[in-house]
């Protein structure tokens, strides 16, 4: 038999959802790694105290218990694996793998037994079901019953919300407490290790207990078991004066229908604190093995991270060797219209905050560098996961392009547009000119200008050609009547061109009175002027357009009382404006300006009347008295064909001598 045993597609039940992974038995430890979350459970061989082989829904399963009271259950084994695993346990762990049958009678009465962090409901000494107490979010007691509520898992199709245990009243006749589940509260609430008061920006007291973290606020309280803590992050802010301490939770804490997968604490580096643990020195030494002391002092973020690391027993992730253009270990960007910081880590990316996002390299399918949608001074960084989800971090300064590209390339991540790198990368990441970009608006205006010029040239040439063809046809003899009709048709566009050229006079713009009072601002503009600096301070590096977007969202979310306050200020400004306008007009300064405007209007109307009268007279004279040179020459030709295809009707032409003799 080898030194290790490995099994793939082994399932672990996590709050109603089955997560698959890989289980490995070695001489030193038992290690299970989840394929979905990447969480690793490690059990050292000396700590292993119990091993049971049971028939479960996925074939067969193993229940492992440690000397410290932790219980681990893994399902998905085959019946033939029992002998192999049993022999390995006897040879390396000195623990016998025993078979334990589950009760499948379907009875709903039995005995509730508490063994460490596990509640077992037994029927005739056979377990019907087991509940990990870490999955319990709330427990309430009634007269004869206990209601247990559970943490919810977003990935589970069906979730168990609560369970009620009925305790007959005869159980407590001997004076004992009939509600045995209270033992859970006695174990959990035995005493807090340390309390941090008002250390969060949103005013929560942090109470750290031996097995869970308690957030106490004015409205909500949250109990976070350490078993739900997935990862810990300690991240420096870009201003180098603050620190982020991020706690990743699975399952998340729930408030209404909203679930929070991350708990973000923001500390100032200059804030110091002194702590005294609520334990004796011997107990601290025995329990934490030198990781903590009874009395400690230092920066607040260091104390919180040190205590959490010792209690949760997980490593704290910090940024790696990445340094941006400004020397910081993060990149300023935007995600879903909110500005934040993107931290490239040794094994993934994390974005803080609103909403926080953590992406491991093993989850990433490929990344993409794209040009910014609004300007070439920034670019977008797109991450696509193997599950098909896409995360776009936008508005990244172009100076960060080279550093980020080298980091992604060094981590051997698949880059979708690697072949386009040379085309888009210049000395500092992008070309400074916009000549290579296609401006659709400019092209459209050029096309419209060409069409307008062609239309004007065609109209002018059509008018000139019609006159020339008219004179040629009247001077030449022997042309047919059909050709004369064609010449008539060519004259028709002349009127259309004239109509096109005759445009209405433009309306004159109103002259602005420089001395008149300025119009008052609206309630939103008054609020924006007072809040602009605060928005800049809360979002360092935000652009002008992003300030407008952020301000619009904040104005929509403003409560009714605050909005009415600004609306009252706007109404007061409107009243002051009306009063100032009235005084301005009464002083006579506004009357002179209005009189000048009226004079201009009257002069303009009179000019329009004169123009319209002149145009009417011109049209009338053109129809009756005006005769062009071509018309006079057509009278002198006096040929019969001229009368048939002449373009103007000759009113009275004296007959020639030949015509008189012919008539006689």
């Amino acid at each position: 038999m080898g030194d290790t045993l490995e099994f793939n597609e082994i399932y672990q039940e996590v709050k109603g959802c089955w997560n698959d992974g890989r289980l490995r038995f070695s001489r030193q430890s038992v290690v299970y790694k989840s394929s979905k979350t990447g969480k690793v459970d490690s059990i050292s061989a000396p700590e292993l105290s119990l091993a049971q082989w049971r028939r479960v829904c996925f074939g067969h399963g193993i229940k492992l218990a440690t000397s410290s009271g932790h219980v681990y259950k893994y399902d998905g084994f085959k019946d033939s694996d029992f002998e192999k695993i049993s022999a390995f346990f006897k040879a390396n762990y000195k623990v016998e793998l025993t078979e334990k049958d589950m009760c499948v009678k379907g009875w709903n009465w039995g005995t509730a037994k508490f063994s460490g962090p596990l509640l077992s409901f037994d029927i005739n000494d056979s377990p019907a079901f087991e509940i990990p107490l870490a999955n319990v979010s709330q427990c309430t007691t009634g007269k004869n019953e206990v209601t247990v509520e559970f943490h919810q898992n977003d990935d589970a199709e069906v979730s168990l919300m609560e369970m009620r245990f009925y305790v007959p009243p005869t159980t407590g006749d001997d004076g004992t407490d009939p509600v045995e589940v209270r033992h859970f509260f006695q174990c959990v609430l035995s005493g807090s290790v340390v309390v941090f008061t008002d250390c969060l920006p949103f005013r929560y007291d942090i109470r750290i207990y031996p097995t869970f973290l308690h957030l106490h606020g004015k409205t909500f309280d949250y109990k976070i078991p350490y078993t739900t803590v997935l990862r810990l992050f300690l991240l420096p802010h870009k201003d180098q004066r603050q620190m982020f301490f991020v706690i990743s939770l699975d399952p998340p804490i729930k408030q209404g229908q909203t679930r929070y997968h991350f708990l973000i604490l923001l500390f100032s580096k200059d804030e110091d604190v002194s702590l005294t643990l609520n334990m004796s020195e011997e107990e601290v030494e025995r329990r934490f093995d030198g990781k903590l002391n009874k009395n400690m002092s230092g920066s607040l973020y260091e104390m919180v991270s040190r205590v959490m690391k010792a209690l949760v027993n997980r490593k704290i992730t910090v940024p790696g060797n990445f340094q941006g253009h400004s020397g910081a270990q993060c990149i300023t960007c935007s995600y879903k219209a909110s500005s934040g910081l993107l931290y490239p880590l040794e094994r993934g990316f994390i974005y803080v905050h609103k909403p926080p996002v953590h992406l491991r390299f093993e989850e990433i399918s490929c990344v993409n560098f794209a040009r910014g949608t609004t300007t070439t001074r920034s670019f977008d960084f797109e991450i696509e996961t193997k599950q098909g989800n896409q995360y776009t971090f936008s508005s990244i300064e172009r100076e960060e392009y080279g550093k980020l590209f080298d980091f992604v390339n060094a981590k051997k991540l698949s880059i979708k547009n690697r072949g386009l790198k040379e085309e888009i990368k210049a000395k500092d990441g992008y070309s400074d000119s916009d000549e290579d970009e296609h401006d659709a608006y400019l092209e459209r205006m050029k096309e419209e200008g060409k069409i307008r010029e062609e239309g004007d040239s065609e109209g002018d040439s059509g008018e000139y050609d019609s006159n020339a063809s008219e004179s040629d046809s009247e001077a030449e003899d022997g042309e047919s009547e059909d050709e004369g009709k064609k010449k008539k048709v060519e004259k028709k566009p002349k009127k259309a061109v004239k109509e096109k050229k005759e445009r209405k006079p433009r309306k004159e713009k109103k002259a602005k009175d420089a001395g008149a009072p300025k119009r008052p601002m609206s309630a939103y503009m008054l609020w924006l002027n007072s809040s602009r600096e605060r928005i800049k301070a809360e979002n360092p590096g935000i652009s002008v357009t992003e300030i407008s977007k952020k301000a619009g969202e904040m104005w929509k979310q403003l409560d009714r009382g605050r909005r009415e306050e600004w609306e009252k200020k706007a109404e007061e400004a409107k009243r002051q404006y009306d009063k100032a306008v009235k005084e301005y007009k009464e002083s006579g300064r506004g009357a002179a300006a209005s009189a000048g405007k009226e004079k201009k209007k009257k002069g303009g109307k009179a000019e329009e009347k004169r123009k319209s009268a002149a145009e009417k007279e011109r049209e009338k004279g053109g129809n009756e008295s005006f005769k062009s040179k071509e018309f006079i020459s057509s009278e002198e030709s006096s040929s019969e064909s001229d009368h048939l295809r002449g373009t103007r009707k000759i009113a009275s032409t004296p007959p020639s001598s030949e015509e008189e003799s012919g008539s006689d």
Side-chain angles (χ1 to χ4, degrees):
M1 182 178 293
D3 295 339
T4 60
L5 288 177
E6 287 194 12
F7 298 92
N8 295 322
E9 296 184 2
I10 301 300
Y11 294 89
Q12 183 184 37
E13 189 268 331
V14 181
K15 300 171 185 62
C17 185
W18 292 98
N19 295 339
D20 65 325
R22 188 174 71 251
L23 181 64
R24 184 181 65 185
F25 298 107
S26 65
R27 290 183 177 181
Q28 294 80 18
S29 63
V30 178
V31 179
Y32 177 80
K33 183 176 182 180
S34 174
S35 300
K36 181 180 180 182
T37 62
K39 183 178 179 181
V40 178
D41 295 334
S42 181
I43 309 169
S44 61
E47 293 182 357
L48 201 61
S49 60
L50 175 68
Q52 290 181 352
W53 180 267
R54 306 186 299 180
R55 180 70 180 268
V56 291
C57 58
F58 281 106
H60 292 80
I62 290 180
K63 175 184 176 182
L64 304 176
T66 62
S67 56
S68 59
H70 293 88
V71 178
Y72 302 90
K73 293 185 290 185
Y74 306 106
D75 300 347
F77 296 96
K78 299 178 182 179
D79 190 13
S80 58
D81 296 333
F82 174 75
E83 295 181 0
K84 183 168 49 176
I85 298 174
S86 178
F88 188 89
F89 273 45
K90 285 181 181 180
N92 298 284
Y93 302 147
K94 309 301 181 187
V95 175
E96 185 179 356
L97 184 62
T98 60
E99 294 189 57
K100 185 73 173 179
D101 294 331
M102 304 291 291
C103 181
V104 293
K105 291 183 177 181
W107 294 0
N108 61 350
W109 67 90
T111 305
K113 294 182 180 180
F114 292 88
S115 57
L118 200 67
L119 166 62
S120 177
F121 189 80
D122 294 353
I123 300 174
N124 296 334
D125 294 332
S126 296
F129 60 86
E130 295 174 342
I131 300 174
L133 295 181
N135 296 358
V136 177
S137 63
Q138 189 69 22
C139 185
T140 57
T141 59
K143 184 177 180 180
N144 293 315
E145 69 177 13
V146 179
T147 302
V148 181
E149 298 179 6
F150 300 97
H151 290 291
Q152 299 303 305
N153 190 345
D154 295 336
D155 298 329
E157 296 181 0
V158 180
S159 297
L160 179 63
M161 301 292 293
E162 67 177 28
M163 183 180 291
R164 295 186 181 184
F165 295 88
Y166 176 76
V167 182
T170 56
T171 307
D173 291 344
D174 56 352
T176 59
D177 190 357
V179 185
E180 297 183 8
V181 181
R182 289 181 183 174
H183 177 69
F184 167 66
F185 292 100
Q186 295 174 0
C187 295
V188 172
L189 304 178
S190 58
S192 62
V193 177
V194 65
V195 177
F196 297 96
T197 304
D198 286 349
C199 66
L200 293 179
F202 41 85
R203 296 298 180 187
Y204 274 93
D205 294 343
I206 300 180
R207 298 178 181 179
I208 299 179
Y209 290 86
T211 56
F212 69 92
L213 179 69
H214 184 219
L215 300 181
H216 176 68
K218 293 182 179 180
T219 308
F220 299 101
D221 286 1
Y222 298 102
K223 188 195 75 172
I224 305 173
Y226 295 143
T227 55
T228 65
V229 176
L230 197 60
R231 290 178 183 84
L232 300 174
F233 301 91
L234 188 62
L235 309 170
H237 198 279
K238 193 172 185 179
D239 58 8
Q240 303 299 326
R241 293 180 296 177
Q242 301 178 94
M243 295 291 292
F244 288 111
F245 185 66
V246 183
I247 303 174
S248 176
L249 304 175
D250 185 28
I253 58 177
K254 184 179 178 182
Q255 180 179 334
Q257 297 299 322
T258 307
R259 291 173 172 81
Y260 298 94
H261 293 265
F262 293 89
L263 182 65
I264 301 178
L265 290 75
L266 181 62
F267 299 103
S268 174
K269 285 187 175 181
D270 301 332
E271 190 173 356
D272 297 332
V273 68
S274 297
L275 298 179
T276 301
L277 301 184
N278 299 333
M279 295 179 178
S280 62
E281 292 184 1
E282 294 78 9
E283 188 178 359
V284 171
E285 181 65 26
R286 177 180 57 82
R287 186 161 187 171
F288 299 109
D289 195 19
K291 296 179 181 178
L292 298 177
N293 301 323
K294 181 175 176 59
N295 298 310
M296 297 182 294
S297 61
S299 299
L300 181 58
Y301 74 91
E302 290 181 351
M303 294 297 101
V304 173
S305 59
R306 185 177 175 184
V307 171
M308 288 295 296
K309 180 182 178 182
L311 290 173
V312 179
N313 197 22
R314 293 197 180 277
K315 295 180 180 179
I316 296 179
T317 304
V318 297
N321 299 325
F322 175 82
Q323 279 194 346
H325 178 74
S326 60
Q329 294 179 299
C330 57
I331 297 173
T332 304
C333 61
S334 297
Y335 177 64
K336 292 186 176 180
S338 296
S339 180
L341 300 173
L342 179 66
Y343 291 85
L345 308 175
E346 287 299 318
R347 296 184 179 179
F349 295 96
I350 185 170
Y351 171 82
V352 290
H353 57 113
K354 293 182 182 180
V357 177
H358 178 233
L359 298 170
R360 295 177 289 122
F361 288 157
E362 56 192 51
E363 295 179 318
I364 297 174
S365 173
C366 63
V367 300
N368 182 33
F369 294 88
R371 284 188 180 272
T373 55
T374 56
T375 177
T376 57
R377 295 184 179 180
S378 64
F379 67 95
D380 297 347
F381 182 56
E382 301 171 354
I383 299 177
E384 187 174 339
T385 63
K386 294 178 181 178
Q387 288 78 21
N389 300 323
Q390 185 170 344
Y391 301 86
T392 302
F393 303 97
S394 59
S395 302
I396 303 176
E397 296 179 356
R398 63 182 180 185
E399 289 81 4
E400 305 285 359
Y401 175 80
K403 300 281 186 180
L404 186 58
F405 186 91
D406 294 340
F407 174 82
V408 172
N409 200 24
K411 295 301 178 181
K412 298 181 180 180
L413 296 177
S414 175
I415 303 175
K416 186 182 292 186
N417 57 347
R418 180 184 294 272
L420 302 177
K421 177 191 172 186
E422 297 299 330
E423 298 179 12
I424 63 175
K425 188 176 179 182
K427 293 181 180 180
D428 55 355
Y430 278 105
S431 174
D432 292 334
S433 65
D434 295 333
E435 294 178 358
D436 57 341
E437 291 191 359
H438 176 71
D439 194 337
Y441 179 75
L442 181 62
E443 295 295 331
R444 191 180 68 189
M445 295 305 296
K446 286 181 179 180
E447 292 295 330
E448 290 182 0
K450 288 181 181 179
I451 294 172
R452 196 181 299 113
E453 290 176 1
E454 290 174 0
D456 292 343
S457 62
E458 287 176 2
D460 296 340
S461 62
E463 186 177 357
Y464 176 78
D465 291 339
S466 63
N467 293 336
S469 62
E470 183 181 349
S471 60
D472 293 342
S473 62
E474 290 173 355
E476 293 176 358
D477 293 332
E479 290 186 359
S480 64
E481 184 179 355
D482 295 335
E483 290 177 352
K485 289 182 180 180
K486 288 181 182 179
K487 301 297 181 180
K488 280 187 178 182
V489 175
E490 290 180 359
K491 283 188 64 180
K492 289 183 180 179
K494 182 178 178 181
K495 291 184 180 180
V497 174
K498 283 187 177 181
E499 289 176 2
K500 184 178 179 181
K501 284 191 173 184
E502 291 175 2
R503 298 179 181 175
K504 293 183 180 179
R506 294 183 178 178
K507 293 183 179 180
E508 294 182 2
K509 293 184 178 179
K510 294 182 179 180
K512 203 170 185 179
D513 192 357
K518 293 184 179 180
R519 291 185 176 274
M521 289 188 288
S522 62
Y524 169 72
M525 293 303 298
L526 291 171
W527 172 84
L528 178 59
N529 288 342
S530 65
S531 305
R532 184 178 281 106
E533 296 301 326
R534 178 168 59 87
I535 295 174
K536 287 182 180 179
E538 292 176 354
N539 303 275
I542 191 170
S543 63
V544 178
T545 55
E546 290 174 347
I547 289 176
S548 302
K549 293 180 182 178
K550 186 72 176 177
E553 294 175 358
M554 294 173 64
W555 176 255
K556 290 179 181 178
Q557 297 174 359
L558 205 65
D559 59 341
R560 190 173 181 180
R562 293 282 306 280
R563 187 175 290 191
E564 288 178 355
E565 178 183 349
W566 290 104
E567 288 175 353
K568 288 179 181 178
K569 291 182 180 181
E571 291 175 1
E572 180 63 25
K574 182 70 168 59
R575 285 194 292 269
Q576 295 291 338
Y577 169 76
D578 294 338
K579 183 179 178 181
V581 169
K582 186 176 180 182
E583 293 175 356
Y584 181 79
K585 289 182 177 180
E586 289 176 356
S587 63
R589 288 177 289 176
S594 61
K597 290 179 183 179
E598 290 294 330
K599 189 174 181 181
K600 284 184 179 180
K601 286 182 180 179
K602 289 180 181 178
K605 289 181 179 179
E607 184 67 23
E608 289 179 6
K609 286 182 180 179
R610 284 197 297 271
K611 286 183 179 180
S612 61
E615 287 176 358
K616 288 180 181 179
E617 188 66 27
R618 195 183 302 115
E619 290 177 1
K620 188 175 179 181
N623 293 334
E624 294 179 1
S625 60
F626 178 79
K627 295 182 180 180
S628 64
K629 184 179 178 182
E630 290 83 358
F631 183 85
I632 296 170
S633 62
S634 64
E635 280 190 80
E636 293 175 356
S637 62
S638 65
S639 63
E640 187 177 356
S641 59
D642 294 337
H643 293 283
L644 294 175
R645 65 186 195 298
T647 56
R648 292 179 176 83
K649 187 176 180 181
I650 302 173
S652 57
T653 304
S656 60
S657 58
E658 293 179 1
E659 290 175 349
E660 289 178 358
S661 60
S663 61
D664 294 338

